[in-house]
Amino acid sequence: MNIMNWLENRLMEPLGRLAQNTYLQAIRDAFVIFALPVILTGAIFLIIANPPTSIEWAPIQAWANAVEPIQAQILFPFQLTFGIMAVTVAFGIGYSLGERRDVDSVMAGILSMLAFLMTAFPVEDITKIPFGKILDYLGGQGLFVAILLGILTTEAMRFLIKRGFAFELPAGVPPYVMRTFRVLVPFMVILPAVWILEWIVWANFGITIPQAVLELFSPLVAASNSYPAALGMILLMMVLWGMGIHGMNVVSSVAYPFWMTQLAENADAVSAGATAQGIVTEPFFHMFAHIGGSGATWGLVIFMLLSRSRQLKEVGKTALIPAVFNINEPVIFGLPIVLNPIMFIPFVLGPAVIVTINYILFATGILPPVIIQPPFTVPIFLGGFIATGGSVLAGLVQVIDAVIAALIYWPFFKRYEKSLIEQEQSAQTG
């Protein structure tokens, strides 16, 4: 308990503040609210254009033969959804941060999006630039600049308006006119400033700002795709949950741009017929580690349903339906796992073991790469199948992961169950 107390007193407060950081919340909202619907829509066409030909089944082969002549046309919607992911994120961050900073959120989103677009194109005759040449930098490879500009342009807009650099019209002016003139000065200051900066970078280095930033961040992207990074992330998630803090929210608020960069590069590689290298993506955790919810607690729910303890059986009944959709707050707070030194050990150990196994499976090519981010509520087997673009093996690995986690939970569960049964019997005789 000394370790638990130390974690709660020294670590949880700063990490809790981090999870509530305004900028990180705006980034998370931009991906989940704005970018995710675009990504899921594009992913449908990626699946259609790349049938799972590893399955030797006549309908699959017929599907593959049918789409082969028109694959480029089928991939068109995919390329214009995944391909503008960063544009969507730039708008989403401006909008979300604008709401939190009490400025016009729509105008903040538009300003952020336009500023990002100015950085993505070379400063030359735009009519001679092939759109396909810059499409990568409007998507996954431009995410870091989209995030930076989403924050910086919104804060600059807020600063200028608060300092009086805005046209304030009489009260009788229609609201839509007032809205336009209030942001006119920030637009006329910020967009030219971004254009000048892009021109300087292009004129001196022959690359755009997204290209320059991607080169700077490439070591971090590579490091985030390593096994130590994956293990560190899952351990931090579980430790935070053990203290009652939403671990996935804290970690994803920092790691999401890296995960989405890997996911976008995987999807681009698969659509081009190349080998995808990204392993540590958002579905790597939500689909393959958080089976039944954070901590891979599907097996634990089954154990509780079969338990001789009345308390555990009731928690199991409550937790069963949410577990189907990978929601396990009834387990975390009802068992409870939070601040429970017995159950905390398998809660951390189980996910660490299955993350290790899964990383090996992806790294060795036994499992195909993750190319789609399904909603986290997609049930077991279906989640793995969809995330990998139709791999039955990936769905089976989810089931195997759940079994492995259950075996790790078993001895700790029996010890905890025994103590609860003794308490219940004592209460009856007392």
Side-chain angles (χ1 to χ4, degrees), residues 98 103 145 247 264 268 312 322 326 332 356 360 366 391 399:
V103 297
V145 173
D268 289 340
L312 292 179
N326 300 316
I332 290 174
T356 300
I360 294 170
I366 295 173
S391 169
V399 176

Side-chain angles (χ1 to χ4, degrees), residues 233-422:
M233 289 177 196
I234 195 66
L235 289 175
L236 181 57
M237 289 179 204
M238 296 304 99
V239 169
L240 290 173
W241 264 122
M243 301 295 114
I245 295 174
H246 198 303
M248 187 66 175
N249 280 356
V250 173
V251 174
S252 66
S253 62
V254 176
Y256 222 108
F258 299 99
W259 294 345
M260 295 307 294
T261 299
Q262 299 287 358
L263 184 65
E265 290 180 356
N266 280 359
D268 289 340
V270 169
S271 68
T275 302
Q277 303 293 332
I279 297 174
V280 185
T281 60
E282 193 270 2
F284 178 78
F285 293 106
H286 256 148
M287 292 297 105
F288 292 94
H290 302 326
I291 302 164
S294 293
T297 55
W298 234 128
L300 195 56
V301 172
I302 303 300
F303 295 159
M304 287 191 289
L305 284 171
L306 302 175
S307 175
R308 293 186 295 117
S309 164
R310 291 192 302 274
Q311 175 184 328
L312 292 179
K313 189 179 288 290
E314 290 302 315
V315 174
K317 292 176 183 177
T318 303
L320 179 60
I321 299 303
V324 172
F325 301 101
N326 300 316
I327 298 168
N328 70 340
E329 275 78 358
V331 177
I332 290 174
F333 297 102
L335 183 61
I337 289 174
V338 171
L339 299 178
N340 183 333
I342 297 175
M343 298 309 300
F344 179 77
I345 296 172
F347 185 72
V348 174
L349 181 61
V353 170
I354 60 178
V355 158
T356 300
I357 294 169
N358 293 340
Y359 193 95
I360 294 170
L361 293 175
F362 280 112
T364 56
I366 295 173
L367 280 181
V370 169
I371 56 172
I372 297 165
Q373 180 180 334
F376 77 92
T377 51
V378 176
I380 188 172
F381 185 83
L382 287 177
F385 181 82
I386 294 170
T388 53
S391 169
V392 173
L393 178 59
L396 293 175
V397 165
Q398 280 190 293
V399 176
I400 294 169
D401 286 341
V403 172
I404 291 171
L407 293 174
I408 293 171
Y409 273 112
W410 177 251
F412 298 92
F413 172 80
K414 294 305 290 183
R415 173 66 183 84
Y416 184 58
E417 179 191 47
K418 180 181 178 182
S419 66
L420 289 181
I421 291 173
E422 289 174 353

Side-chain angles (χ1 to χ4, degrees), residues 27-51:
I27 293 169
R28 186 172 63 243
D29 287 353
F31 279 106
V32 175
I33 298 173
F34 294 91
L36 189 56
V38 176
I39 293 169
L40 290 175
T41 302
I44 294 171
F45 294 92
L46 181 61
I47 294 172
I48 294 172
N50 293 275

Side-chain angles (χ1 to χ4, degrees), residues 30-31 34-43 75-93 112-114 116-117 120-121 131-132 134-144 146-147 260 264 267-268:
F31 279 106
F34 294 91
L36 189 56
V38 176
I39 293 169
L40 290 175
T41 302
L75 285 172
F76 184 83
F78 159 74
Q79 290 160 344
L80 285 180
T81 48
F82 268 77
I84 62 163
M85 184 196 307
V87 179
T88 311
V89 167
F91 177 86
I93 291 175
S112 300
M113 181 175 62
L114 291 175
F116 171 70
L117 284 171
F121 286 81
F131 184 64
I134 56 92
L135 192 58
D136 286 345
Y137 297 99
L138 299 178
Q141 296 184 32
L143 282 174
F144 295 110
I147 291 168
M260 295 307 294
D268 289 340

Side-chain angles (χ1 to χ4, degrees), residues 4 15 25 51-52 76 106 125 129 146 172 204 216 284 290 322 346-347 399 407-408:
M4 302 284 280
L15 287 174
Q25 287 185 330
F76 184 83
V106 173
D125 187 349
I129 302 171
N204 286 278
L216 290 174
F284 178 78
H290 302 326
F347 185 72
V399 176
L407 293 174
I408 293 171

